[in-house]
Amino acid sequence: MLKREKERVVADLVERLRASDTLIVADYRGLTMPEIDGVRTEVLKHGARFTVVKNTLTKRAAEEAGVPELVELLDGPTAIAFVGEGDMVGVAKALNDTARRTKILSLRGGILQGIPMSAEQVRDLASLPPAEVLRGQVLGAIVAPLSAIAALINAPLQDLVGLIDARIEQLETAGDADAPSAEEESAEPVAEPATEAPEASGAEDEAETAEESASEEAESSEPETKEE
């Protein structure tokens, strides 16, 4: 391969690597050309491209594209599924089904949004529900609480006012039950103001009367003097 041709291949790989969030690497050794074409067709249905690559050129492209994790997976005959806007679950499932059916294609691993994946993790990815089902499940999880909030917001204002009035009435009833009634308040004894004892003034009057009587008796008992 001429140097100019190699540079063109590297540039094309760099562009694909930068445009693909997910990469799935497989060893195609032993597959016939018709079988490889069949894998390409199946992967293309899910919006990805399945390409047989040269390891030396792909390593250069990986370094230039800022995907050094890919280098470790480039050992032996290599084919890469480049998943950009496609269905990564569908691509993983197509490759995994081919590997189980042919017993030849071998999954090595991949890269999911910059995170390396082992072959086992690629198989786990293939076991997930299709993208449409996943989107429905995620949408359902989001819409369910929003529906509850919308129902609360759209509830008639009259219902809200009724709940507030009922609560106020409940609080007033509880307050009346705790307060003492008017009859209970009037039944409580009222303390009378203290008054001076009448006996004290009566005793003083008797003492004064006795003193006056004694004085009068003393005057009457004195002898009268004759005038000379």
Side-chain angles (χ1 to χ4, degrees):
M1 184 182 293
L2 297 177
K3 181 178 180 181
R4 182 178 300 176
E5 182 66 16
K6 291 180 179 179
E7 291 177 352
R8 185 191 65 79
V9 171
V10 170
D12 181 63
L13 288 173
V14 169
E15 183 178 354
R16 289 195 195 183
L17 291 173
R18 288 175 176 172
S20 302
D21 290 335
T22 303
L23 304 170
I24 299 177
V25 182
D27 187 335
Y28 68 93
R29 185 171 14 204
L31 289 179
T32 64
M33 286 305 299
E35 290 174 329
I36 293 176
D37 289 339
V39 175
R40 286 197 181 105
T41 301
E42 189 64 27
V43 168
L44 189 60
K45 293 179 182 178
H46 301 285
R49 297 177 65 178
F50 187 74
T51 305
V52 174
V53 298
K54 290 185 176 295
N55 291 340
T56 54
L57 299 180
T58 306
K59 289 178 181 179
R60 287 173 51 188
E63 294 292 346
E64 186 174 342
V67 192
E69 300 85 358
L70 179 61
V71 175
E72 298 180 1
L73 300 175
L74 302 177
D75 183 19
T78 303
I80 301 177
F82 297 87
V83 186
E85 299 296 330
D87 180 8
M88 60 182 177
V89 175
V91 173
K93 186 176 181 61
L95 294 177
N96 189 52
D97 289 346
T98 301
R100 290 189 302 178
R101 183 181 69 256
T102 63
K103 306 297 183 182
I104 298 175
L105 185 71
S106 175
L107 297 175
R108 289 186 190 162
I111 298 174
L112 176 61
Q113 296 181 345
I115 302 175
M117 293 187 296
S118 64
E120 185 63 30
Q121 289 172 325
V122 173
R123 285 188 282 270
D124 291 339
L125 182 64
S127 65
L128 292 175
E132 293 78 7
V133 177
L134 286 176
R135 292 191 188 98
Q137 292 174 349
V138 172
L139 182 62
I142 295 174
V143 169
L146 292 180
S147 300
I149 294 174
L152 179 61
I153 293 175
N154 294 329
L157 181 60
Q158 184 177 0
D159 294 345
L160 179 60
V161 174
L163 291 174
I164 294 174
D165 290 341
R167 180 57 177 165
I168 292 174
E169 183 178 354
Q170 181 183 10
L171 293 175
E172 289 178 348
T173 302
D176 293 341
D178 294 337
S181 62
E183 295 179 356
E184 292 177 349
E185 292 180 353
S186 61
E188 294 181 355
V190 179
E192 297 181 356
T195 56
E196 295 182 357
E199 292 80 1
S201 60
E204 291 179 357
D205 293 341
E206 291 179 356
E208 291 177 358
T209 303
E211 184 178 353
E212 291 176 357
S213 299
S215 176
E216 291 176 356
E217 288 178 359
E219 290 178 356
S220 61
S221 61
E222 292 180 356
E224 297 180 356
T225 58
K226 294 182 179 181
E227 295 181 357
E228 291 182 357

